[in-house]
Structures are given as C-alpha cells and as structure tokens.
Amino acid sequence: MHRRMVNLTLDSLESVPERCRSCVFWELSPLCAESDEVDDPGLEKEAWVSQTLLEWGGCGRIAYEGDRVAGFITYASPKFVPRSVEFPSGPVSPDAALLMTAYVKPAYSGTGLGRQLVQTVAADVARRGIYALEAFGDARAESNACLVPADFYRSVGFKTVRSDPRYPRLRLELRPTVGREPKAVESAELPEPVEWFELDDFELEQFLDEPSIIRPRSDQPGIHRYGGL
C-alpha cells in the first residue's frame, strides 16, 4: 500500500486524532495552559499552527497509509514552543529545531514509520539550513504523556546532550546540503504533499550525519500513548 506524507496545515489538522488536536502541552506555557482564559484548546492549537506556518514554515507532517492516517510528527524553532524552556535539561541549542512529539497508530507499529517520520523532518529542516534536531525524551516512557520515549530517539541516531532522570535532551546532527547556497536551499522546498517515502535509504542518508539512522527496530514513537502528537 502506498505511503505518503502531507504537511500539517489548518486543513490537514482535522486528520490528527481529536485528543491531540485539543492538546496544547507544547504550544502554550504552563501558566497559559492552566489559565481560565483558555476556553478552547482546539482554537489555541489552530492559532499556533497558523502563526508558526506564517512566521517559520512547515511544523508538522501527517503520514497516510493509503487513505488512512497512520501517524504524525510536529517540530518547530524552539522560540515557537513555550514549553521547551520549562525542562531542566534545556534550553534547546540555538542552532537546532525542536522535535516536539510524534505518534504512530498501533496498527502501523513495526513498519518503520517512526523512523521515516524523523527522516522526513530531518530532510525538511536541512533544506532550510538547520543542521540539528533536538528533543526532550521521556526516560520513563510514561503512558498518556506528550513526550516520545527517549529510547526511541536513541534508536534513530539521537545522542544525549544533557542527562536528566526524567526528561533528557537529545540531539541528532544533520549533514549540510553540500554545495548549496542559502537561496538555492530555499528554492528547493518541495511542493505539497511531501512524498519522502519515494526516496530510498541511501538518498535519505545524505541528510544525516550517521547511517545508523537506518534501523529496523524500535520505530514506534508513542504507540501506547495518546496524550498529544
């Protein structure tokens, strides 16, 4: 069955599971998220997607298996992610984009989809001249959390840059697009939908610092979790 990735937009946001569409764990600071002024988290989520798309660019991908949503992933510059400053292992390095969270539906676990979601994000940010991804992992793999297990990140090439018993910060170094000026990188942006699944492993590795990103196991971020993307 054909797999494809589409950009996260206000239209495609409707395809994200309802509970995740109304989760603003990453998008609002803790004080704002707990404030009585937040009447509709779903609207706050839409506002965040809209602002980030306008001011920074693509901030998520939704994976489809045929016509069915199989999983999704979100990421952004840390300046668009208020929650990122709350972690004891922070802050995110200024040269990195923050991988916020990812989810693979149980029916698609073990298919390599988790790895492919990360590869898609890596290729996207590398084309923008950003050569590192960082993430806060969940060392305890707690259920119903909005963080991806740290072990998953390590399995696809991330390295711990600051330890923490609960939320270590991890980093994936990306390879610069060789021989391209910033304007050339910008002009190379792909049209929607982005179909990275049609690239083979060798082509995807050109964006990555370590071939070890290509691994067959532990590719199921958040498959038992449903507290956020």
Side-chain angles (χ1 to χ4, degrees), residues 43 99 110 168:
L43 289 178
L99 204 165

Side-chain angles (χ1 to χ4, degrees), residues 43-57:
L43 289 178
E44 294 288 346
K45 187 91 164 189
E46 291 179 7
W48 182 88
V49 170
S50 178
Q51 178 186 9
T52 307
L53 286 171
L54 287 172
E55 299 183 16
W56 189 71

Side-chain angles (χ1 to χ4, degrees), residues 5-8 58-63 71-73 75 117 120 124 194:
M5 286 252 191
V6 302
N7 292 324
L8 178 66
C59 54
R61 295 291 185 269
I62 302 176
F72 60 100
I73 193 167
Y75 57 100
L117 283 166
T120 301
D124 179 40
V194 179

Side-chain angles (χ1 to χ4, degrees), residues 162-179:
R162 187 168 182 182
S163 299
D164 184 81
R166 295 193 64 182
Y167 306 119
R169 178 163 53 94
L170 304 103
R171 181 179 174 97
L172 177 67
E173 299 287 349
L174 309 178
R175 225 176 246 164
T177 308
V178 178

